[in-house]
Amino acid sequence: MSSGFVKTADGTEIFFKDWGPKDAQTIHFHHGWPLSSDDWDAQLLFFLSKGYRVVAHDRRGHGRSSQVDTGNTIDRYAADASAVVEHLDLRNVVHIGHSTGGGEVARYVARYGQPQGRVAKAVLVAAIPPLMLKTPANPEGTPIEVFDGFRAALAANRSQFYLDVASGPFYGFNRPGAKVSQGIIQNWWRQGMMGGAFAQYEGIKAFSETDQTEDLKAITVPTLVLQGDDDQVVPYKDAAILQAKLVKNSTLKIYPGFPHGMLTTHADVINPDLLAFVKG
């Protein structure tokens, strides 16, 4: 089956894609907020062309998965990812997560993938762990007022908010001299508007307030940590730098000038680096 749904323990239907030779090395992709597995198009096609099996799913409340009003937490996101892996009986998998998907990967690997012996390697790309929110213990984090602003903008006019995010900070299109792509902006907006407003609203709390320090400490498989130093969404000093320190078996690469959405804007650079890590 090249695509389908898996029903989780609480009845949520999670959409997934499963492309390529079923006996090939599997790479499982976990998307960011508020997008869908379509955000991985540039990577899915690239790895397919190299002979890999690629799997990607839509997070609950996002894309083609159920627009549920419950379970919009990192815990449940990881459990849903595990449901896909177990449904397809995937083993020796490389899990790659972007942004919120990176948090999903960290908790999945720590709680399910490693204990079940199903994960081979992990990649965190511009990922949210260990904690985005500014707290007394995390003084370099992002103030709660920023995330409250996200919630207010989503509730007031989700469509305009998503256009503004894609047109500005996500891809660095607000930087002087940036090469702006209307197609990329419209595709981001399309993916966002496919999902459920409530699940995406709840997702802001999940990606900003979940402390994943212990998840990172628990990861023992080889892990590649990637981020651009011009990431305007997830500050790299509070993300990739700390991830590389907390994950025992990690390799860190920082890309000068690259934005949060570098997997799309700089796929020609990122994809070969991902391939080298998968093959290494």
Side-chain angles (χ1 to χ4, degrees), residues 224-228 240 244 251-256 262 269 273:
L224 179 63
V225 176
L226 305 177
Q227 194 162 9
T251 302
L252 172 67
K253 184 162 187 178
I254 302 294
Y255 298 86
M262 64 183 185
V269 175
D273 287 349

Side-chain angles (χ1 to χ4, degrees), residues 3-278:
S3 68
F5 292 86
V6 58
K7 184 168 285 190
T8 67
D10 69 348
T12 301
E13 290 197 325
I14 302 296
F15 172 84
F16 66 86
K17 305 171 186 179
D18 178 13
W19 301 344
K22 299 305 177 266
D23 58 349
Q25 167 71 56
T26 304
I27 307 173
H28 189 161
F29 297 88
H30 305 246
H31 67 80
W33 178 96
L35 305 171
S36 75
S37 56
D38 293 354
D39 200 46
W40 290 104
D41 283 354
Q43 285 69 46
L44 299 180
L45 295 176
F46 174 81
F47 280 99
L48 271 175
S49 75
K50 304 297 183 183
Y52 289 87
R53 178 182 185 180
V54 295
V55 173
H57 69 280
D58 292 355
R59 188 167 299 119
R60 64 170 52 215
H62 295 62
R64 288 139 293 213
S65 293
S66 300
Q67 292 197 7
V68 290
D69 61 354
T70 56
N72 299 298
T73 65
I74 296 294
D75 270 354
R76 181 55 68 177
Y77 296 164
D80 293 346
S82 185
V84 174
V85 171
E86 292 173 47
H87 174 71
L88 297 173
D89 194 23
L90 304 177
R91 300 180 185 277
N92 193 40
V93 184
V94 178
H95 287 273
I96 303 180
H98 176 240
S99 198
T100 300
E104 180 177 293
V105 165
R107 183 142 299 177
Y108 167 78
V109 170
R111 188 166 294 181
Y112 300 97
Q114 287 180 167
Q116 294 174 356
R118 292 181 179 272
V119 59
K121 297 179 181 180
V123 183
L124 305 177
V125 184
I128 58 172
L131 174 64
M132 285 195 72
L133 183 67
K134 180 179 181 178
T135 66
N138 187 41
E140 300 303 314
T142 303
I144 189 68
E145 290 78 12
V146 172
F147 303 113
D148 287 342
F150 289 174
R151 282 182 275 262
L154 189 156
N157 188 340
R158 183 169 64 131
S159 180
Q160 187 61 54
F161 176 46
Y162 288 176
L163 277 177
D164 292 344
V165 172
S167 302
F170 199 91
Y171 295 111
F173 290 158
N174 55 346
R175 294 306 198 206
K179 184 180 178 182
V180 178
S181 166
Q182 288 301 318
I184 288 175
I185 293 168
Q186 290 171 23
N187 190 42
W188 200 99
W189 177 89
R190 175 192 67 84
Q191 291 177 73
M193 295 305 291
M194 282 172 66
F198 184 70
Q200 293 170 350
Y201 185 94
E202 292 277 286
I204 296 170
K205 180 180 178 68
F207 74 63
S208 64
E209 298 183 33
T210 305
D211 190 335
Q212 296 195 255
T213 302
E214 295 307 313
D215 292 332
L216 296 176
K217 289 180 178 179
I219 295 173
T220 57
V221 297
T223 302
L224 179 63
V225 176
L226 305 177
Q227 194 162 9
D229 71 1
D230 194 30
D231 191 323
Q232 300 172 65
V233 178
V234 178
Y236 80 100
K237 290 181 181 178
D238 201 42
I241 300 299
L242 297 182
Q243 291 157 23
K245 291 178 180 177
L246 290 165
V247 177
K248 300 176 185 69
N249 191 4
S250 64
T251 302
L252 172 67
K253 184 162 187 178
I254 302 294
Y255 298 86
F258 281 22
H260 188 64
M262 64 183 185
L263 284 158
T264 299
T265 58
H266 296 81
D268 60 325
V269 175
I270 306 297
N271 286 351
D273 287 349
L274 293 174
L275 178 63
F277 176 72
V278 170

